[in-house]
Every structure is written in structure tokens, then in C-alpha cells.
Amino acid sequence: MIPIRNITLLLFAGFACTATADDKVNYEDHVKPILRQKCFSCHSTNKKTSDLDLSTYTTLMQGGASGAAVTPGSAGDSYLFSLINHDLEPYMPPESDRLPDDMLATIRKWIDTGAPETASSKVMLPKKPAVSLAIDGAADTRPEGPPPMPDVLNLAPVVHTSATTAVPALATSPWAKLVAVAGQKQVILFSSETLEPLGVLPFPEGQARVLKFSRNGALLLAGGGHGASKGLAVVWNIRTGERVIEVGDELDEVLAADISSDQMFVALGGPGKVVRVYSTQTGELAYEVTKHTDWIHSLEFSPDGVLLATADRAGGLFVWEAFTGREYLNLAGHKGGINALSWRIDSNVLASASEDRSVKLWEMEAGGNIKSWDAHGGGVTGLEFCRDGRLVTCGRDNVAKLWDQNGAQLLAFEALGDLALQVTHCDESNRVIAGDWTGEIRVWNAADGARIGNLTTNPPALEDRLQAAEGRLPELNQQQSETQQAVAAATAERNSHAQQIESARQAHTAAQTALAEQQTSLKNVQQQITTVQQQITTSQERIAALKKAIPDLTAAAETAGKASELIPADEQLKAVAEQLKTQTEARNTELQQTEAGLETASVALTEHQKSAASITQSVQQAEQQAAATASTVEQLTAALAPLDEKLAAAQTADSAAQKLLSDGQAEIEKWNQYIALRDELDVLRQQRDTLQQARMAALEAEAALKTAQQQFEETQRAISTGEAAIADAKQNSDALTAKLAATEQQKVVQAEQAAKHEQAVPALQAAVKQINQAAAVLPNDEDIKQSAEALAKAVAGQQQQLAQRKQLVAETDAAIQATKSAIQAAAEKITATQQKILENQQAIPQLMAAIAPLEQQLTDAQAKLPAAEAEFNRAEAVVEARREKIRPQIQVIQAAR
């Protein structure tokens, strides 16, 4: 039964001791005292039954062999509460009654309201549903689709210091041109191609001492923390930059960690000398390896996920079965601490690097050392297998080197300024990245050893980047102005010369036109001369023919005329004679005309010949002019090429200056965008916190209401149970009273019988004495003797019956007393139950009164959720819009993938 004062406390302190922050039900003030009283004997630091230690908040929340003990936000889903509430077996505490209701109510309230550690602790949200990270696929096979690369992540550094520190960790993605660099409280992602920053992943837990990409490149693991204080491992989603899982709660920082190729396990180790392997599905410890005798400096899962190699500061090197933690190989051989391990991609060979200056290769069949060579004077500090089987190392000689698997040195890169600490190789860009004690990180081309550039563990603030970009803009503007002026001058000079060429070409064209005209005129005159010469020749030939024919023709005409005169009657002869006379006259006339035409043609020929001579001279002059103008054009055209080259050079310089200016302006825009993104992400984070607080307030209000309603229902059930118990007790009391009366009556009968037996026994004893005396007098009387024996036997039987009667009376008396006690107990139980019912009935109004404000509190809390969700969604949309603006720039940077 819950005392009235406790019920009042439950009601007005929010049930199970909390309504205000100061009175919030928490582990230290309320739950631990209950567990100390009921559970610590079996579940504490000294005795961890089922691997469960309830003596500290941390160990309680870690759970035990059966998994998580407490699910914050849900007592019904918490294994611990199910056992102590006797909902599940084995009931706890073992062989004991269920805990008192007030204790159970306190524990229930504590869990339902988030399971805080102290009154000032922030309550924990209910656990998210388990998300499986397990994947299929071989580590040496390129994943389908584009390689995992960051989307638009925040570039604002978590910390920027005036000086850099030693490079604690480096890693490269197996399938993307991506480098991860550990800095103070942050991990920075860079493109291995452009060396541009792609994202900053906050690691507020301290310093990341180890970085490892998952075998498919989708996840990045960081292990670290604060020395002698806290250690853990964190896994991020590369694309979104969101944390996927956190495991481990070490008392010192983590120095070595890795995630298995199937992403089912995360292993970590450090100064504690213990390797702990956690399940990524539950976040719980899968197994421990405790064989190391010194700090664990390196560990790595084999690419096929079958084995786990671990190494320590004392030179201990072991290989374990990855799923069970059973020892597989003990690889002895190094004379100094082992600083790095790396598996060949086929999982058949393990490489180890030691302070003893050596690199050793081990085969996995029998653990034989198949190759060993001295790699660095003073010791080897870093080592990594390349995908093609080459190895990169670095050491205390300040140098990073590239090797083949036979130990032949392929390249030794330029020495760093101090002790080389970390080295990695990007298989996608074939670049080697190494960092030293001063914080310098260099990037080289693995093909020829040429240095590409540098990375940093200490990126400047976004405002500093913006200020630097803005500071370069005036100089870039000046350069652009100067190159534009140079382009203008070169263009003017070139255009002026081009105009000269055009004028020369026009003059040459005019000269060629004039030459053509003169040549045409000459041709026409020559054609005229030829025609006239032909006319003269024809005329001369005709004249000669006429002069020869006319005398004969004249003679023939005269002869025919004379003949006709002689024969006047012959008309035909007369006609012929007339015809000959006419022909003779015509030929004489033709001769005269032809002679006159010959004279005219001769005069014309002389004129044409004079004209031809004059035109021929003009043609020669025109040819000379055309040749001269052609030469001028050729000379001017030849002189144009240097001017074109000068203009092209000026334009190239101007394009370069324009690109620099555009890049500078784009960089300013870029940093402005990232500053805006940072601020918007801060708003989004605040809205997310507000939303979580609103959700938590609703959960707390719901839990408080649920507790109040349960308390009310439990009180009602207690009243009903009490009333039923009183009825049962009264019925039992009546039965006992009836039984008492019957027993007392039975006792009277038994007492009377016992009294009679008690009176008969002495008389019988006297009779025995008398018959014995008679038998003594008559020793031969068998009848008397038999009677004496029978009487003696009867006396013995009566004595025995008397004893039994007395015992029966005593037992009946005891039964009467027991029945009376039972009747008294029943009466007391009825009285106590009535008192408890009265107390519960008195509590009912208070319990009912407490429910209404809690319902209102839940209504108010739930009413705030839509606005909080809307603000969060609005902030999320703003961030996504900003990312859309930045994304093209990121795609340009990542285009080199």
C-alpha cells in the first residue's frame, strides 16, 4: 500500500517526484537508491550478473548480455522494467516479491520521461529505430553508380587557431578523389584533384586520432576524444555529412579504429590495451580482446571482412576472427612498437610498420613473414597499401616513400619540414598525401613525385576567406583593365594595318582593272590591224587578179562585139557580147574602187599600228603598276601576322585576366554563399533543437499524463481489489468462526472421554494387581493366568488410548488457538484493507484533479508542435535552396572525378 504522504508527493510533484526541473525524477536522486537496496548485490561493479552493472548511470545505459536495459521514453519497451514489474521472466529480484508500487512508479516515471542522469541533465529522446548499415559487395569491386562524394556541406571551421598542430590522421576514399584530414574538433574533406575544401565535419568530442573510409567509400569513421578523459568512434555519411552512429565510451582517447567491409562492426582500441568491437546495428558491444599488453596503436579489418588485425606499442601483432574475436594468428617479429597496419586488397597479405625501421609483409595461411625491409631511419610512422599493390610509407626521417611489394623503392618524395606522421594514397587520382609534426600536409603526384600543393588541418574562418578574396579583387580588376587596354591598342594597330592592306588591295585591283582595260584595247586594236591587213591583202590580190583579167576580158568583149556586129541577127551572140562588155565595165569599176579601198585601208593600218604601239606601252606601264601594288599587298599582308600574334597574345592575356577576375568574383560569391549557408544551418540547427524540445515536451507531458492515468487506474484497481479482499476475508472469517465452534464442541467431547479414561486406568491397574496376586496363589490355574494377561493387555491399551486422548485434546486446543489467531488476522486484514481502501478513496479526487492540468499540458505541448515543425521545414527549405545555388560550383570541383 502506498502511504498517503507518498500519494500526495506523487500528485503534486508530477508523479514519481517530478514536476519542476529541480524535482525531475533522475537516476542519482531517485532510481539509484532503489537499485542499491534491491539490485546492487547482483548487478554492480563487483558482481556483474549477466554482464549488467546498475551501480552507475553509464554502465546501466550500456546494458548487459541481453542488450539494452533501458529504452528512454518507454518503460514498457525497457527490458529492466519488464523484469522488475514481473511482466517477463526471470522475475527480478530473483525469489522475491515484486517491488513496491511506489518504487515501480518512480522507475517507470524516470524511464518514460527520458531517463535523465541528474536533475540538471537533458532528458534523452527515445531511441531511434535500429538502422542496419550492413552491405553486400566485395571490397575490391567498384560500387555501382558515381562514387560517394559530399553534397553541399558546411565549410565553416569549428576551430581556427593561430598555429597548426601535428597532423593526427589522414585518409583517402577508395573510390573517389576525396581526402579526409583530422583537425582540432573537426574533420575536413578535400578534393584530391583540385585540393578545394568540400566540407567540415564537427568532432566536438576532441581530437580525431584515426580516420578510415568504409570499403565502399560511403562512410567515414573517426576515432579519438580527449586524452585520459573520453574516447569514442563516430561514423558519418559522406554525402550528407550526418552522423550515422557513435560507439564506445572509453576512459581515454581512441587511437585505433576501423569499420568492417560489410559495415556490421566497428572496432576501436587505445591506451586501455583492450580492443572493443561494437555492432553497428545496435551500438552494443559485440566482444572484447584483452590479450594486448600495451597501448593499441593500429587495427584494421581485412577487406573481405573475415579477419581483424591489431597491433600495440610493445610490438604485439595479432589477427582475430572478425565475427567471434577468437585468436587466429600471433605474428611475432617486430622489435619495436607497431605504428600502422594495412591489408592488401585481396586480404591475403598484411603489412605492418614499426619503430624498428622495418616494414613487414605477412601471409595469412600460416602467418609467415614473406618480406621485410628497412624503410625509414629512426622508425616507420605510417603505412598504406595502394589498390594496385604498391605501398606508401613515411617515417622519422621526414620522408614519404612509394614501394613495390618486393621492397624496392619506387619514389622518395621531397622531405617534409619535420617528423612525418601520416601518409595515404588516393587510388583514383594517384596522389600521395603526407603530414608532419608541424601540421604541414603535402600532396604529390605518385607518377613523377611532383608536388601538387598543400592541404591544411586548420582552415581559416569563412569571413577571413571572404576578406582575402575581396582583397585580391582590386589587383585583379587592375590586371583586367591593363589587359583590356593592351587588347584595344593591339586591335587598333592591327586594324590600321589592315586598312593599309585594304587600300593597297584596292590600288592593286584598280591597277589590274586598268591593265585589263589596256590589254582589251590592245587586243581590239590588234584585231583591227589583223582585219585591215586581211582587207589589204584581199584587196591587193583582187587588184592583181582584176588587172590581169580586165585586159583579157576587154579583148573578149571587143572580139565578141565585133563578132556580133558581123552577125547582127544572132541575138544570143549579141547578148553575150553585151554581157561581156557590161562585165568588163563592172570589173574596171571594181578595180578602181578596190584600189581606192586599198589606199584607205593602208592609211587605217598605219593609224592602227601607231595606236597599238601606244597601247602596248600603256599595257607595260599598267603591268608594272599591278606588279608594284601586288608587292605592296604581299608586304603589308606579311606584316599583319606579327600584329595578329600580338593581338592574340593580348587577347589571351586578357582572357586569363578575365578568368582570374571571374574566378575571384566567383570565389567572393562562393564564400558569401557559404557564410549564408553556415548561418542558415545554424538557424536550422536551432529550429531542430526547438522542434526536438517541443517533441520532448510533448513526450514528457504524455508520459506524465500516462503516469497519472496509470496511478488513477491503479488506485481504482486497488480499491476494487481491497473490497474483494475484504469480502474474501469476511467469508473466510465466518468459515473460521464456524470451524472454531465445531472444534470447541469436539474438544468438550474429547475432554470428557479423556476424563473417563483417566478414571478407568487406575481401577484397571488395581484389578491387575489383584488378579496377579490371585495368580500367585494359584500358579497352576491357567484360566486365572490368561485373565491376568488379558487384563494387563487391556490396561496397556487404555493407557495408550488415554495418552492419545490427551494428545488429541492438546491438538484440538492448538487448532482452536490457531483458528482464533486466523480469525484475528482476518479481522486485522479487513481493518488494514479498509484503511487502505479509505486512503485510496481519499486519494481518488486528488488523482482525478491532477489529470486535467496534465491533459491541458499535453494539449498545449502538442499545439506547439505544428509551428515548430513548420519553422523547421521552412529553415530546411532555405538551406536546400542555398545548396541548390552552391551545388553547381561543387559539381565543377567534382567534375574531375
Side-chain angles (χ1 to χ4, degrees), residues 376-395:
H376 296 273
V380 188
T381 54
L383 164 76
E384 184 174 279
F385 254 118
C386 305
R387 194 165 63 213
D388 59 9
R390 296 176 297 168
L391 298 97
V392 288
T393 63
C394 64

Side-chain angles (χ1 to χ4, degrees), residues 518 522 609-619:
Q518 294 296 327
L522 178 61
Q609 287 175 338
K610 290 180 180 179
S611 178
S614 175
I615 292 172
T616 298
Q617 186 175 5
S618 296
V619 167

Side-chain angles (χ1 to χ4, degrees), residues 824-864:
Q824 179 63 30
E828 291 175 354
K829 182 177 181 180
I830 290 172
T831 301
T833 304
Q834 288 173 335
Q835 178 61 32
K836 186 174 182 180
I837 289 173
L838 178 61
E839 292 173 353
N840 286 331
Q841 288 173 336
Q842 292 173 344
I844 285 292
Q846 295 175 327
L847 292 171
M848 293 180 65
I851 289 175
L854 292 175
E855 288 176 335
Q856 185 60 46
Q857 182 180 348
L858 176 58
T859 300
D860 294 342
Q862 290 175 334
K864 294 178 181 178

Side-chain angles (χ1 to χ4, degrees), residues 498-677:
Q499 289 176 354
Q500 294 178 19
I501 293 175
E502 182 60 25
S503 298
R505 283 176 177 166
Q506 291 176 356
H508 177 59
T509 300
Q512 286 180 320
T513 300
L515 174 61
E517 291 174 351
Q518 294 296 327
Q519 288 174 335
T520 300
S521 298
L522 178 61
K523 183 178 179 180
N524 292 335
V525 170
Q526 288 174 338
Q527 287 177 347
Q528 290 173 351
I529 290 173
T530 300
T531 300
V532 171
Q533 286 176 338
Q534 289 175 348
Q535 290 176 353
I536 291 174
T537 301
T538 301
S539 296
Q540 288 174 341
E541 290 176 352
R542 185 67 177 171
I543 290 171
L546 288 173
K547 283 182 177 182
K548 183 178 179 181
I550 285 174
D552 292 337
L553 187 58
T554 300
E558 289 176 353
T559 300
K562 289 177 179 182
S564 177
E565 287 176 355
L566 292 177
I567 307 172
D570 191 345
E571 291 296 328
Q572 183 177 7
L573 179 61
K574 184 180 179 179
V576 169
E578 287 295 328
Q579 184 178 9
L580 287 173
K581 183 179 178 181
T582 301
Q583 289 178 345
T584 300
E585 291 173 354
R587 296 299 178 270
N588 282 319
T589 300
E590 181 186 358
L591 177 61
Q592 292 173 1
Q593 291 175 347
T594 302
E595 287 176 344
L598 176 61
E599 184 177 357
T600 300
S602 297
V603 172
L605 177 61
T606 300
E607 292 299 325
H608 287 326
Q609 287 175 338
K610 290 180 180 179
S611 178
S614 175
I615 292 172
T616 298
Q617 186 175 5
S618 296
V619 167
Q620 291 175 348
Q621 291 175 351
E623 286 176 343
Q624 292 174 355
Q625 181 65 25
T629 56
S631 175
T632 300
V633 169
E634 183 178 356
Q635 291 174 358
L636 290 174
T637 301
L640 183 64
L643 297 179
D644 284 336
E645 292 175 358
K646 181 178 180 181
L647 176 59
Q651 289 173 331
T652 299
D654 183 55
S655 296
Q658 178 61 47
K659 186 177 185 307
L660 289 175
L661 179 60
S662 298
D663 290 346
Q665 292 169 334
E667 187 174 10
I668 291 173
E669 175 62 16
K670 168 186 173 181
W671 296 125
N672 276 319
Q673 292 289 345
Y674 271 106
I675 289 172
L677 176 64

Side-chain angles (χ1 to χ4, degrees), residues 449-463:
R451 199 203 303 190
I452 305 298
N454 283 51
L455 303 178
T456 180
T457 64
N458 190 29
L462 297 182
E463 284 77 6

Side-chain angles (χ1 to χ4, degrees), residues 117-404:
E117 180 177 5
T118 66
S120 60
S121 296
K122 182 178 181 180
V123 296
M124 300 171 60
L125 288 171
K127 280 188 176 180
K128 296 179 180 178
V131 177
S132 175
L133 300 180
I135 60 169
D136 296 324
D140 59 349
T141 303
R142 183 181 295 275
E144 294 182 1
M149 287 289 284
D151 191 10
V152 181
L153 305 185
N154 194 355
L155 290 185
V158 177
V159 173
H160 177 72
T161 58
S162 58
T164 57
T165 58
V167 178
L170 297 172
T172 50
S173 171
W175 304 111
K177 297 176 181 180
L178 184 63
V179 185
V181 174
Q184 296 186 49
K185 296 187 177 182
Q186 60 195 341
V187 175
I188 307 100
L189 302 176
F190 292 94
S191 164
S192 67
E193 186 75 16
T194 66
L195 308 189
E196 288 289 323
L198 299 179
V200 175
L201 306 176
F203 190 71
E205 292 82 0
Q207 182 78 62
R209 295 295 180 184
V210 57
L211 295 173
K212 291 288 184 68
F213 280 90
S214 61
R215 292 289 177 177
N216 66 354
L219 304 176
L220 175 65
L221 175 144
H226 280 292
S229 175
K230 180 179 178 60
L232 79 165
V234 172
V235 178
W236 290 279
N237 180 310
I238 281 298
R239 184 182 177 280
T240 65
E242 297 293 330
R243 287 194 176 197
V244 178
I245 190 174
E246 301 171 14
V247 297
D249 189 12
E250 302 294 297
L251 299 178
D252 207 333
E253 62 184 341
V254 169
L255 301 179
D258 194 18
I259 184 168
S260 61
S261 59
D262 58 10
Q263 299 179 180
M264 291 183 63
F265 296 105
V266 168
L268 54 85
K273 309 174 188 177
V274 177
V275 176
R276 292 188 172 90
V277 180
Y278 292 86
S279 166
T280 59
Q281 292 180 300
T282 64
E284 297 170 358
L285 183 67
Y287 62 84
E288 291 182 344
V289 172
T290 59
K291 192 166 184 176
H292 285 280
T293 60
D294 210 327
W295 290 18
I296 297 167
H297 275 180
S298 183
L299 61 81
E300 187 168 281
F301 285 101
S302 61
D304 60 11
V306 174
L307 301 174
L308 171 64
T310 62
D312 63 37
R313 191 172 61 175
L317 175 55
F318 300 93
V319 180
W320 318 88
E321 294 178 357
F323 281 86
T324 64
R326 286 194 292 264
E327 183 175 333
Y328 178 69
L329 291 172
N330 182 350
L331 306 178
H334 280 294
K335 306 301 181 183
I338 299 173
N339 292 321
L341 298 173
S342 184
W343 290 89
R344 199 171 67 186
I345 193 66
D346 61 2
S347 301
N348 293 326
V349 175
L350 174 68
S352 56
S354 172
E355 291 288 354
D356 63 11
R357 305 186 303 176
S358 73
V359 169
K360 295 183 183 295
L361 303 184
W362 311 85
E363 54 84 19
M364 288 297 105
E365 287 294 328
N369 179 207
I370 56 177
K371 198 70 183 179
S372 180
W373 67 90
D374 282 349
H376 296 273
V380 188
T381 54
L383 164 76
E384 184 174 279
F385 254 118
C386 305
R387 194 165 63 213
D388 59 9
R390 296 176 297 168
L391 298 97
V392 288
T393 63
C394 64
R396 294 185 178 276
D397 56 3
N398 302 1
V399 177
K401 298 180 180 180
L402 183 65
W403 311 83
D404 68 16

